[in-house]
């Protein structure tokens, strides 16, 4: 058996796992940026910035895995969610839909970017679709069900106040991704 081929086949999954773990860690750190709003159970957090970055910089399965690792850490009780919370109860509480959306949103963001040339505009569009639209849809639906709110009230409490800040995160993550892509590509030899 050729040792070089064996090491090469092992290094690619190891690189992907390392990247997924690194972005899960970035998500943990950014989740500690948490600003509660007195009128809503949903805080302003840095989590969506992290998921946008993972979707923008990682290939789809690695981006998805990074958010799954993050959710698994929180589900087993490690306080990695907003406000230093952890536990399975958070995932099934009013804000759990936003969390469950994270792997899907990161994956979709990455899928959109996989085809064609990457530009600032394409990054913005993919981050709006993944980081805002998908997250809001799942988040609002669970908020409505768990908190027993009408869909309209859930949108008023769980989406509208966050749109301006989330667009700032879209612009920031798109800019950072554009600057970091060449560095990541050179150092890790990713597909992007």
């Amino acid at each position: 058996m050729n040792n070089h081929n064996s090491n090469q086949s092992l290094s690619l999954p190891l690189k992907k796992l390392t990247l997924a773990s690194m972005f899960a860690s970035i998500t943990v750190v950014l989740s500690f940026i948490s600003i509660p709003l007195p009128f809503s159970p949903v805080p302003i957090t840095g989590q969506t910035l992290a998921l946008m970055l993972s979707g923008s910089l990682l290939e789809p399965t690695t981006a998805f895995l990074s958010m799954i690792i993050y959710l698994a850490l929180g589900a087993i009780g490690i306080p990695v969610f907003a406000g230093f919370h952890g536990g399975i109860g958070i995932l099934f509480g009013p804000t759990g839909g936003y969390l469950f959306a994270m792997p899907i949103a990161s994956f979709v963001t990455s899928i959109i970017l996989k085809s064609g040339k990457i530009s600032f505009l394409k990054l913005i569009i993919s981050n709006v679709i993944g980081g805002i639209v998908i997250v809001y849809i799942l988040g609002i639906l669970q908020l409505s069900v768990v908190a027993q709110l009408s869909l309209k009230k859930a949108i008023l409490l769980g989406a509208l106040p966050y749109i301006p800040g989330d667009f700032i995160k879209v612009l920031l993550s798109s800019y950072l991704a554009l600057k970091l892509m060449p560095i990541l590509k050179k150092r890790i030899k990713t597909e992007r």
Side-chain angles (χ1 to χ4, degrees), residues 21-42:
S21 298
M22 183 175 79
F23 276 85
S25 299
I26 290 168
T27 309
V28 169
V29 170
L30 289 177
S31 76
F32 295 149
I33 299 168
S34 178
I35 304 164
L37 298 180
F39 56 85
S40 175
V42 183

Side-chain angles (χ1 to χ4, degrees), residues 132 136 140 155 158-170:
I132 295 179
Y136 281 21
I140 289 165
I155 291 168
L160 288 182
Y162 306 95
I163 291 172
D166 282 339
F167 273 105
I168 291 169
K169 292 177 205 173
V170 163

